[in-house]
Amino acid sequence: MSEAVFSQLAMLVFLTGLIVWMGFIVWDLAKKSQAGRFGTIILFTILGAGVVGFIIKTVMVEIMNL
């Protein structure tokens, strides 16, 4: 296994773990602050927008071969 393949695989695994961990943190924050259903939806929408933006950027870089 080359260093490039290992790096790409490690980034995928650890980035997925980081996104899941951030989701847990947001869930815990919403629960402790008693944000309610609407507040929880807003928190996850904002987190989701950041994750979607990162995924779109990654896909565009792969499509454009930069």
Side-chain angles (χ1 to χ4, degrees), residues 18 39-40 52:
L18 179 64
T40 303
V52 168

Side-chain angles (χ1 to χ4, degrees), residues 1-61:
M1 177 182 298
S2 70
E3 188 272 333
V5 172
F6 177 76
S7 294
Q8 190 173 18
L9 184 63
M11 186 176 119
L12 179 66
V13 169
F14 288 124
L15 193 59
T16 303
L18 179 64
I19 291 170
V20 170
W21 185 48
M22 288 185 343
F24 172 75
I25 290 171
V26 170
W27 174 260
D28 191 48
L29 176 67
K31 192 174 174 182
K32 285 183 180 177
S33 68
Q34 299 174 349
R37 184 180 301 170
F38 181 72
T40 303
I41 290 170
I42 294 298
L43 287 169
F44 275 105
T45 301
I46 299 304
L47 174 66
V51 171
V52 168
F54 181 79
I55 291 170
I56 289 172
K57 179 196 69 104
T58 304
V59 169
M60 287 181 68
V61 166

